[in-house]
Coordinates of all heavy atoms in Angstrom, one line a residue:
M15 N 0.8 -1.2 0.0 CA 0.0 0.0 0.0 C 0.9 1.3 0.0 O 0.6 2.2 0.6 CB -0.9 0.0 1.2 CG -2.3 0.5 0.9 SD -3.4 0.6 2.3 CE -3.4 -1.0 3.0
S16 N 2.0 1.2 -0.7 CA 2.9 2.3 -0.8 C 2.2 3.5 -1.4 O 1.4 3.4 -2.4 CB 4.1 1.9 -1.6 OG 4.9 3.0 -1.8
G17 N 2.5 4.7 -0.9 CA 1.9 5.9 -1.5 C 0.4 6.1 -1.2 O -0.3 6.8 -2.0
L18 N -0.1 5.6 -0.1 CA -1.5 5.7 0.2 C -1.9 7.2 0.4 O -1.3 7.8 1.3 CB -1.8 4.9 1.4 CG -3.2 4.9 1.9 CD1 -4.1 4.2 0.9 CD2 -3.3 4.2 3.2
A19 N -2.8 7.7 -0.3 CA -3.3 9.1 -0.1 C -4.4 9.1 1.0 O -5.1 8.1 1.2 CB -3.9 9.6 -1.4
N20 N -4.5 10.2 1.7 CA -5.5 10.3 2.8 C -6.9 10.0 2.3 O -7.7 9.5 3.0 CB -5.5 11.7 3.4 CG -4.2 11.9 4.2 OD1 -3.5 11.0 4.6 ND2 -3.9 13.2 4.5
T21 N -7.2 10.5 1.1 CA -8.6 10.3 0.6 C -8.9 8.9 0.2 O -10.0 8.6 -0.1 CB -8.8 11.3 -0.6 OG1 -7.8 11.0 -1.6 CG2 -8.7 12.7 -0.2
R22 N -7.9 8.0 0.2 CA -8.2 6.6 -0.2 C -9.2 6.0 0.8 O -9.8 5.0 0.5 CB -6.9 5.8 -0.2 CG -6.0 6.2 -1.4 CD -6.7 5.9 -2.6 NE -5.9 5.1 -3.5 CZ -6.3 4.8 -4.7 NH1 -7.4 5.3 -5.2 NH2 -5.5 4.1 -5.5
S23 N -9.3 6.5 2.0 CA -10.2 5.9 3.0 C -11.6 6.0 2.6 O -12.5 5.3 3.1 CB -9.9 6.5 4.3 OG -10.1 7.8 4.3
F24 N -12.0 6.9 1.7 CA -13.4 7.1 1.3 C -13.7 6.4 0.0 O -13.2 6.8 -1.1 CB -13.7 8.6 1.2 CG -13.6 9.3 2.4 CD1 -12.4 10.1 2.7 CD2 -14.6 9.2 3.4 CE1 -12.3 10.8 3.9 CE2 -14.4 9.9 4.6 CZ -13.3 10.7 4.8
G25 N -14.4 5.3 0.0 CA -14.9 4.6 -1.2 C -13.9 3.7 -1.9 O -14.2 3.3 -3.0
D26 N -12.7 3.5 -1.4 CA -11.8 2.6 -2.1 C -11.9 1.2 -1.5 O -11.3 0.9 -0.5 CB -10.4 3.2 -2.0 CG -9.4 2.4 -2.8 OD1 -9.6 1.2 -3.0 OD2 -8.4 3.0 -3.2
M27 N -12.7 0.4 -2.2 CA -13.0 -0.9 -1.6 C -11.8 -1.8 -1.5 O -11.7 -2.5 -0.5 CB -14.1 -1.6 -2.4 CG -15.5 -0.9 -2.3 SD -16.0 -0.5 -0.6 CE -16.3 -2.1 0.0
P28 N -10.9 -1.9 -2.5 CA -9.7 -2.8 -2.3 C -8.9 -2.3 -1.1 O -8.4 -3.2 -0.3 CB -8.9 -2.6 -3.6 CG -10.0 -2.2 -4.6 CD -11.0 -1.3 -3.8
S29 N -8.8 -1.0 -0.8 CA -8.0 -0.6 0.4 C -8.8 -0.9 1.6 O -8.1 -1.2 2.7 CB -7.7 0.9 0.3 OG -6.9 1.2 -0.8
K30 N -10.1 -0.8 1.6 CA -10.9 -1.1 2.8 C -10.6 -2.6 3.2 O -10.5 -2.9 4.4 CB -12.4 -0.9 2.6 CG -12.7 0.6 2.6 CD -14.2 0.8 2.4 CE -14.5 2.2 2.3 NZ -14.2 3.1 3.3
R31 N -10.5 -3.5 2.3 CA -10.3 -4.9 2.6 C -8.9 -5.1 3.2 O -8.7 -6.0 3.9 CB -10.4 -5.7 1.3 CG -11.9 -5.9 0.9 CD -12.0 -7.0 -0.2 NE -11.6 -6.5 -1.5 CZ -12.3 -5.8 -2.3 NH1 -13.6 -5.5 -2.0 NH2 -11.9 -5.4 -3.5
M32 N -8.0 -4.1 3.0 CA -6.7 -4.2 3.6 C -6.6 -3.5 4.9 O -5.5 -3.4 5.5 CB -5.6 -3.6 2.6 CG -5.6 -4.4 1.3 SD -4.5 -3.6 0.1 CE -2.9 -3.9 0.8
G33 N -7.7 -2.9 5.4 CA -7.7 -2.3 6.7 C -7.8 -0.8 6.7 O -7.8 -0.1 7.8
V34 N -7.8 -0.1 5.5 CA -7.9 1.3 5.5 C -9.3 1.7 5.8 O -10.3 1.2 5.4 CB -7.6 1.9 4.1 CG1 -7.7 3.4 4.0 CG2 -6.1 1.5 3.7
S35 N -9.5 2.7 6.7 CA -10.8 3.1 7.2 C -10.9 4.6 7.2 O -10.0 5.4 7.4 CB -10.9 2.6 8.7 OG -12.1 3.2 9.3
A36 N -12.2 5.1 7.0 CA -12.5 6.5 7.0 C -12.8 6.9 8.5 O -13.0 8.1 8.7 CB -13.7 6.8 6.1
E37 N -12.8 6.0 9.4 CA -13.1 6.3 10.8 C -11.9 7.0 11.4 O -10.8 6.4 11.5 CB -13.4 5.0 11.6 CG -13.9 5.2 13.0 CD -15.2 5.8 13.1 OE1 -16.1 5.6 12.2 OE2 -15.5 6.6 14.0
P38 N -12.1 8.2 11.9 CA -10.9 9.0 12.4 C -10.5 8.5 13.8 O -11.3 7.9 14.5 CB -11.4 10.4 12.5 CG -12.9 10.2 12.7 CD -13.3 9.0 11.9
Q39 N -9.2 8.6 14.0 CA -8.7 8.4 15.4 C -8.7 9.7 16.1 O -8.2 10.7 15.6 CB -7.3 7.9 15.3 CG -7.2 6.5 14.7 CD -5.7 6.0 14.7 OE1 -4.8 6.7 15.0 NE2 -5.5 4.8 14.3
T40 N -9.4 9.8 17.2 CA -9.5 11.1 17.9 C -9.0 10.9 19.3 O -9.0 9.9 19.9 CB -11.0 11.5 17.9 OG1 -11.8 10.6 18.6 CG2 -11.6 11.7 16.5
Q41 N -8.7 12.1 19.9 CA -8.3 12.2 21.3 C -8.8 13.5 21.8 O -8.7 14.5 21.1 CB -6.8 12.1 21.3 CG -6.2 12.2 22.7 CD -4.7 12.1 22.7 OE1 -4.0 12.2 21.7 NE2 -4.1 11.8 23.9
T42 N -9.3 13.5 23.0 CA -9.8 14.7 23.7 C -8.8 15.1 24.7 O -8.4 14.3 25.6 CB -11.2 14.5 24.3 OG1 -12.1 14.1 23.3 CG2 -11.7 15.7 25.0
I43 N -8.4 16.4 24.7 CA -7.5 17.0 25.6 C -8.1 18.3 26.1 O -8.5 19.1 25.4 CB -6.1 17.3 25.0 CG1 -5.5 16.0 24.4 CG2 -5.2 17.9 26.0 CD1 -4.3 16.2 23.6
Q44 N -8.2 18.4 27.4 CA -8.7 19.6 28.0 C -7.5 20.6 28.2 O -6.5 20.3 28.8 CB -9.3 19.4 29.4 CG -10.5 18.5 29.4 CD -11.7 19.3 28.8 OE1 -11.8 20.5 28.8 NE2 -12.6 18.5 28.2
L45 N -7.6 21.8 27.6 CA -6.6 22.8 27.7 C -7.2 24.1 28.3 O -8.3 24.5 27.9 CB -6.0 23.2 26.3 CG -5.3 22.0 25.6 CD1 -5.0 22.5 24.1 CD2 -4.1 21.6 26.3
S46 N -6.4 24.8 29.1 CA -6.9 26.1 29.6 C -6.4 27.1 28.6 O -5.5 26.9 27.8 CB -6.3 26.3 31.0 OG -4.9 26.6 30.9
P47 N -7.0 28.3 28.6 CA -6.6 29.4 27.7 C -5.1 29.7 27.8 O -4.5 30.1 26.8 CB -7.5 30.5 28.1 CG -8.7 29.9 28.7 CD -8.2 28.7 29.4
A48 N -4.5 29.5 29.0 CA -3.1 29.9 29.2 C -2.2 28.8 28.5 O -1.0 29.1 28.3 CB -2.8 29.9 30.6
E49 N -2.7 27.7 28.1 CA -1.9 26.6 27.5 C -1.8 26.7 26.0 O -1.1 25.9 25.4 CB -2.4 25.3 27.9 CG -2.3 25.0 29.4 CD -2.9 23.6 29.8 OE1 -4.1 23.5 29.7 OE2 -2.1 22.7 30.1
Y50 N -2.6 27.5 25.3 CA -2.6 27.6 23.9 C -2.9 29.0 23.4 O -3.6 29.7 24.1 CB -3.5 26.5 23.2 CG -5.0 26.9 23.4 CD1 -5.6 27.5 22.3 CD2 -5.7 26.5 24.5 CE1 -7.0 27.9 22.5 CE2 -7.0 26.9 24.6 CZ -7.7 27.5 23.6 OH -9.0 27.8 23.7
A51 N -2.4 29.3 22.2 CA -2.8 30.6 21.6 C -3.7 30.4 20.5 O -4.6 31.2 20.2 CB -1.5 31.3 21.2
F52 N -3.5 29.3 19.7 CA -4.4 29.0 18.6 C -4.2 27.6 18.2 O -3.3 26.9 18.7 CB -4.0 29.9 17.4 CG -2.6 29.9 17.0 CD1 -2.0 28.9 16.3 CD2 -1.7 30.9 17.5 CE1 -0.6 28.9 15.9 CE2 -0.4 31.0 17.1 CZ 0.2 29.9 16.4
M53 N -5.2 27.1 17.4 CA -5.1 25.7 16.9 C -5.1 25.8 15.4 O -5.9 26.6 14.8 CB -6.4 25.0 17.4 CG -6.4 23.6 16.8 SD -7.9 22.6 17.4 CE -9.2 23.6 16.9
V54 N -4.3 25.0 14.7 CA -4.2 25.0 13.3 C -4.6 23.6 12.8 O -3.9 22.6 13.2 CB -2.8 25.4 12.8 CG1 -2.8 25.4 11.3 CG2 -2.4 26.7 13.4
L55 N -5.5 23.5 11.9 CA -5.9 22.2 11.2 C -5.4 22.3 9.8 O -5.7 23.3 9.1 CB -7.4 21.9 11.3 CG -8.0 21.9 12.7 CD1 -9.5 21.9 12.6 CD2 -7.5 20.8 13.5
I56 N -4.7 21.3 9.3 CA -4.1 21.4 8.0 C -4.3 20.1 7.2 O -4.5 19.0 7.8 CB -2.6 21.7 8.0 CG1 -1.8 20.7 8.9 CG2 -2.4 23.1 8.5 CD1 -0.3 20.8 8.9
S57 N -4.3 20.2 5.9 CA -4.3 19.0 5.1 C -2.8 18.5 4.8 O -1.9 19.3 5.1 CB -5.0 19.3 3.7 OG -4.2 20.2 3.0
D58 N -2.7 17.4 4.2 CA -1.3 16.9 3.9 C -0.6 17.8 2.8 O 0.6 17.8 2.8 CB -1.4 15.4 3.4 CG -2.2 15.2 2.2 OD1 -3.0 16.0 1.8 OD2 -2.0 14.1 1.6
G59 N -1.4 18.5 2.1 CA -0.7 19.5 1.1 C 0.1 20.6 1.9 O 1.0 21.1 1.3
V60 N -0.3 20.8 3.1 CA 0.5 21.8 3.9 C 1.6 21.0 4.7 O 2.7 21.4 4.7 CB -0.4 22.5 4.9 CG1 0.4 23.4 5.9 CG2 -1.4 23.4 4.1
S61 N 1.2 19.9 5.4 CA 2.2 19.2 6.2 C 3.3 18.6 5.4 O 4.4 18.4 6.0 CB 1.5 18.1 7.0 OG 0.9 17.2 6.2
N62 N 3.1 18.3 4.1 CA 4.2 17.8 3.3 C 5.2 18.9 2.9 O 6.3 18.6 2.5 CB 3.6 17.2 2.0 CG 2.9 15.9 2.3 OD1 3.1 15.3 3.3 ND2 2.1 15.5 1.3
E63 N 4.8 20.2 3.1 CA 5.6 21.3 2.6 C 6.2 22.1 3.8 O 7.2 22.8 3.6 CB 4.9 22.2 1.7 CG 4.3 21.5 0.5 CD 5.4 20.8 -0.4 OE1 6.5 21.2 -0.4 OE2 5.1 19.8 -1.0
A64 N 5.6 22.1 4.9 CA 6.0 23.0 6.0 C 6.1 22.2 7.3 O 5.2 21.3 7.6 CB 5.0 24.1 6.2
S65 N 7.0 22.5 8.1 CA 7.2 21.9 9.5 C 6.2 22.5 10.4 O 5.6 23.6 10.2 CB 8.6 22.1 10.0 OG 8.8 23.4 10.3
D66 N 6.0 21.8 11.5 CA 5.1 22.4 12.6 C 5.6 23.7 13.0 O 4.8 24.7 13.2 CB 5.0 21.4 13.8 CG 4.3 20.1 13.5 OD1 3.7 20.0 12.4 OD2 4.4 19.2 14.3
Q67 N 6.9 23.9 13.2 CA 7.4 25.2 13.7 C 7.2 26.3 12.6 O 6.9 27.4 12.9 CB 8.9 25.1 14.0 CG 9.4 26.3 14.7 CD 8.6 26.6 16.0 OE1 8.5 25.8 16.9 NE2 8.1 27.8 16.1
E68 N 7.4 25.9 11.3 CA 7.2 26.9 10.3 C 5.7 27.4 10.3 O 5.4 28.6 10.1 CB 7.5 26.3 8.9 CG 9.0 26.2 8.7 CD 9.3 25.4 7.4 OE1 8.7 24.4 7.1 OE2 10.2 25.9 6.7
I69 N 4.8 26.5 10.5 CA 3.4 26.8 10.5 C 3.1 27.7 11.7 O 2.4 28.8 11.5 CB 2.5 25.6 10.5 CG1 2.7 24.8 9.2 CG2 1.0 25.9 10.8 CD1 2.1 23.4 9.3
V70 N 3.6 27.4 12.9 CA 3.4 28.2 14.1 C 4.0 29.6 13.8 O 3.3 30.7 14.1 CB 4.0 27.6 15.3 CG1 4.1 28.6 16.5 CG2 3.3 26.3 15.7
D71 N 5.2 29.7 13.3 CA 5.8 31.0 13.0 C 5.0 31.9 12.1 O 4.9 33.1 12.2 CB 7.2 30.8 12.5 CG 8.2 30.2 13.5 OD1 7.8 30.2 14.7 OD2 9.3 29.7 13.1
I72 N 4.5 31.2 11.0 CA 3.6 32.0 10.1 C 2.4 32.5 10.7 O 2.1 33.7 10.6 CB 3.3 31.1 8.9 CG1 4.5 30.7 8.0 CG2 2.2 31.7 8.0 CD1 4.3 29.6 7.0
V73 N 1.7 31.7 11.5 CA 0.4 32.1 12.1 C 0.7 33.2 13.2 O -0.1 34.1 13.3 CB -0.3 30.9 12.7 CG1 -1.6 31.3 13.4 CG2 -0.7 29.9 11.5
K74 N 1.7 33.0 13.9 CA 2.0 34.0 15.0 C 2.2 35.4 14.4 O 2.0 36.4 15.2 CB 3.3 33.6 15.7 CG 3.1 32.6 16.7 CD 4.3 32.3 17.6 CE 5.6 32.8 17.2 NZ 6.8 32.4 18.1
E75 N 2.6 35.6 13.2 CA 2.8 36.9 12.6 C 1.5 37.5 12.1 O 1.5 38.7 11.6 CB 3.8 36.8 11.5 CG 5.2 36.4 12.0 CD 5.8 37.4 13.0 OE1 5.7 38.6 12.7 OE2 6.4 36.9 14.0
C76 N 0.4 36.8 12.1 CA -0.8 37.3 11.5 C -1.7 37.9 12.6 O -1.7 37.6 13.7 CB -1.5 36.1 10.8 SG -0.6 35.5 9.5
R77 N -2.6 38.8 12.1 CA -3.5 39.5 13.0 C -4.8 38.8 13.2 O -5.5 39.1 14.2 CB -3.7 40.9 12.4 CG -2.4 41.8 12.4 CD -2.7 43.2 12.0 NE -3.6 43.9 12.7 CZ -3.4 44.6 13.9 NH1 -2.2 44.5 14.4 NH2 -4.4 45.2 14.5
T78 N -5.2 38.0 12.3 CA -6.5 37.3 12.4 C -6.3 35.8 12.0 O -5.4 35.4 11.3 CB -7.6 37.9 11.5 OG1 -7.2 37.6 10.1 CG2 -7.8 39.4 11.7
P79 N -7.2 34.9 12.5 CA -7.2 33.5 12.1 C -7.3 33.4 10.6 O -6.5 32.6 10.0 CB -8.4 32.9 12.8 CG -8.6 33.7 14.0 CD -8.3 35.1 13.5
E80 N -8.1 34.1 9.9 CA -8.3 34.0 8.5 C -7.0 34.4 7.8 O -6.5 33.7 6.8 CB -9.4 35.0 8.0 CG -9.6 34.9 6.5 CD -10.7 35.8 6.0 OE1 -11.3 36.5 6.8 OE2 -10.9 35.8 4.8
E81 N -6.3 35.5 8.2 CA -5.0 35.9 7.6 C -4.0 34.8 7.8 O -3.2 34.5 7.0 CB -4.6 37.2 8.3 CG -3.3 37.7 7.7 CD -2.8 39.0 8.5 OE1 -3.7 39.8 8.8 OE2 -1.6 39.1 8.6
G82 N -4.0 34.1 9.0 CA -3.1 33.1 9.3 C -3.3 31.9 8.4 O -2.3 31.3 7.9
A83 N -4.5 31.5 8.2 CA -4.8 30.4 7.3 C -4.4 30.7 5.9 O -3.8 29.8 5.2 CB -6.3 30.0 7.4
K84 N -4.7 31.8 5.4 CA -4.3 32.2 4.0 C -2.8 32.2 3.9 O -2.2 31.8 2.9 CB -4.9 33.6 3.7 CG -6.3 33.6 3.4 CD -6.9 34.9 3.0 CE -8.4 34.9 2.7 NZ -8.9 36.2 2.4
A85 N -2.1 32.7 4.9 CA -0.6 32.8 4.9 C 0.0 31.4 4.8 O 1.0 31.1 4.1 CB -0.1 33.6 6.1
V86 N -0.6 30.4 5.6 CA -0.1 29.1 5.6 C -0.3 28.4 4.3 O 0.6 27.8 3.7 CB -0.7 28.3 6.8 CG1 -0.4 26.8 6.6 CG2 -0.3 28.8 8.1
V87 N -1.5 28.6 3.7 CA -1.8 28.0 2.4 C -0.9 28.6 1.3 O -0.3 27.9 0.5 CB -3.3 28.1 2.1 CG1 -3.5 27.8 0.6 CG2 -4.1 27.2 3.0
G88 N -0.7 29.9 1.4 CA 0.2 30.6 0.5 C 1.6 30.0 0.5 O 2.3 29.8 -0.5
F89 N 2.1 29.8 1.7 CA 3.5 29.3 1.9 C 3.6 27.9 1.3 O 4.5 27.6 0.6 CB 3.8 29.3 3.4 CG 5.2 28.7 3.7 CD1 6.3 29.4 3.6 CD2 5.3 27.3 4.0 CE1 7.6 28.9 3.8 CE2 6.6 26.8 4.3 CZ 7.7 27.6 4.2
A90 N 2.6 27.1 1.6 CA 2.6 25.7 1.1 C 2.5 25.6 -0.4 O 3.2 24.8 -1.0 CB 1.5 24.9 1.8
T91 N 1.7 26.4 -1.0 CA 1.5 26.4 -2.4 C 2.7 27.0 -3.1 O 3.1 26.6 -4.2 CB 0.2 27.0 -2.9 OG1 0.2 28.4 -2.4 CG2 -1.0 26.2 -2.4
E92 N 3.4 28.0 -2.5 CA 4.6 28.6 -3.1 C 5.8 27.7 -3.1 O 6.6 27.6 -4.0 CB 4.9 29.9 -2.4 CG 4.0 31.0 -2.8 CD 4.2 32.3 -2.0 OE1 5.4 32.4 -1.4 OE2 3.4 33.1 -1.9
T93 N 5.9 26.9 -2.0 CA 7.1 26.1 -1.8 C 6.9 24.7 -2.3 O 7.8 23.9 -2.4 CB 7.5 26.0 -0.3 OG1 6.4 25.5 0.5 CG2 7.9 27.4 0.2
G94 N 5.6 24.3 -2.5 CA 5.2 22.9 -2.9 C 5.5 22.6 -4.3 O 5.6 23.5 -5.2
K95 N 5.7 21.4 -4.6 CA 6.0 20.9 -5.9 C 4.7 20.8 -6.8 O 4.8 21.1 -8.0 CB 6.6 19.5 -5.9 CG 8.0 19.5 -5.2 CD 8.4 18.1 -4.9 CE 9.5 18.0 -3.9 NZ 9.2 18.4 -2.5
E96 N 3.6 20.5 -6.2 CA 2.4 20.3 -6.9 C 1.5 21.6 -6.9 O 0.7 21.8 -7.8 CB 1.6 19.1 -6.4 CG 2.3 17.8 -6.6 CD 1.6 16.6 -6.0 OE1 0.3 16.7 -5.9 OE2 2.2 15.6 -5.7
G97 N 1.6 22.4 -5.9 CA 0.9 23.6 -5.8 C -0.6 23.5 -5.6 O -1.4 24.4 -5.9
D98 N -1.1 22.3 -5.0 CA -2.5 22.2 -4.7 C -2.6 21.4 -3.5 O -1.7 21.0 -2.8 CB -3.2 21.5 -5.9 CG -2.8 20.1 -6.1 OD1 -1.9 19.6 -5.5 OD2 -3.4 19.5 -7.0
N99 N -3.9 21.1 -3.1 CA -4.2 20.2 -2.0 C -3.8 20.8 -0.7 O -3.4 20.1 0.3 CB -3.6 18.8 -2.2 CG -4.2 17.8 -1.2 OD1 -5.3 18.0 -0.7 ND2 -3.4 16.8 -0.8
A100 N -3.7 22.1 -0.6 CA -3.3 22.8 0.7 C -4.5 23.4 1.3 O -5.2 24.3 0.7 CB -2.2 23.9 0.4
T101 N -4.9 23.0 2.5 CA -6.0 23.5 3.2 C -5.6 23.8 4.6 O -4.9 23.0 5.2 CB -7.2 22.4 3.2 OG1 -7.5 22.1 1.9 CG2 -8.4 23.0 3.9
C102 N -6.1 24.9 5.2 CA -5.7 25.3 6.5 C -6.9 26.0 7.2 O -7.6 26.8 6.6 CB -4.5 26.2 6.5 SG -4.0 26.7 8.1
L103 N -7.1 25.7 8.4 CA -8.1 26.4 9.3 C -7.4 26.8 10.6 O -6.8 25.9 11.2 CB -9.3 25.5 9.6 CG -10.3 26.0 10.6 CD1 -11.1 27.2 10.1 CD2 -11.3 24.9 11.0
V104 N -7.5 28.0 10.9 CA -6.9 28.5 12.2 C -8.0 29.0 13.1 O -8.9 29.7 12.7 CB -5.9 29.7 11.9 CG1 -5.3 30.2 13.2 CG2 -4.8 29.3 11.0
E105 N -7.9 28.5 14.3 CA -8.9 28.9 15.4 C -8.2 29.4 16.6 O -7.2 28.8 17.0 CB -9.8 27.7 15.7 CG -10.8 27.9 16.7 CD -11.8 29.0 16.3 OE1 -12.3 28.9 15.2 OE2 -12.1 29.9 17.2
G106 N -8.7 30.5 17.1 CA -8.0 31.0 18.4 C -8.5 32.4 18.7 O -8.9 33.1 17.8
A107 N -8.4 32.7 20.0 CA -8.9 34.0 20.4 C -7.8 34.9 20.7 O -8.0 36.1 21.0 CB -9.8 33.8 21.7
N108 N -6.6 34.5 20.7 CA -5.4 35.3 21.1 C -4.7 36.0 19.9 O -3.5 36.0 19.8 CB -4.4 34.4 21.8 CG -5.0 33.9 23.1 OD1 -5.9 34.4 23.7 ND2 -4.4 32.8 23.6
F109 N -5.5 36.6 19.1 CA -5.0 37.4 18.0 C -5.1 38.9 18.4 O -6.0 39.3 19.2 CB -5.7 37.2 16.7 CG -5.3 35.8 16.1 CD1 -5.9 34.7 16.4 CD2 -4.2 35.8 15.2 CE1 -5.5 33.5 15.9 CE2 -3.8 34.5 14.7 CZ -4.5 33.4 15.0
L110 N -4.3 39.8 17.8 CA -4.3 41.2 18.1 C -5.6 41.8 17.8 O -6.3 41.5 16.9 CB -3.2 41.9 17.4 CG -1.8 41.5 17.8 CD1 -0.8 42.1 16.9 CD2 -1.5 41.8 19.3

């Protein structure tokens, strides 16, 4: 199953027989406001092109969550080989 894409879990019957599932693995963690500034959800089009620290550094420089998400996607598409499949959502209350 080399080169398995994330989207293979939806509707790919041969992969399902091999154990690929669309059921997400989740974990719940309680955080106080002092423990985080923002949360960033990204697709593999971003994570394949930018490190966690690069993403944090980009978002920290932005004034709004929307600006942060656009900046992360812009970075991923500019530095990426394929230039697509980059999705980002930033959530947080600690913006200027």
Side-chain angles (χ1 to χ4, degrees):
M15 218 182 308
S16 175
L18 180 66
N20 290 343
T21 55
R22 290 299 230 187
S23 59
F24 296 101
D26 187 329
M27 295 312 291
S29 294
K30 287 185 186 298
R31 287 191 283 278
M32 297 173 71
V34 176
S35 171
E37 186 68 31
Q39 293 180 355
T40 62
Q41 182 178 13
T42 301
I43 301 171
Q44 294 291 331
L45 298 173
S46 70
E49 294 178 288
Y50 73 94
F52 51 82
M53 176 177 62
V54 182
L55 303 173
I56 56 172
S57 67
D58 61 342
V60 173
S61 62
N62 289 341
E63 304 302 331
S65 70
D66 292 347
Q67 190 60 56
E68 287 173 317
I69 294 167
V70 168
D71 292 344
I72 291 167
V73 174
K74 280 187 348 186
E75 296 299 317
C76 297
R77 296 183 55 84
T78 66
E80 181 180 359
E81 183 183 323
K84 287 180 179 180
V86 168
V87 168
F89 178 83
T91 56
E92 287 174 17
T93 60
K95 297 168 194 68
E96 297 179 24
D98 66 354
N99 193 28
T101 303
C102 179
L103 173 67
V104 177
E105 179 61 47
N108 295 337
F109 285 87
L110 298 173

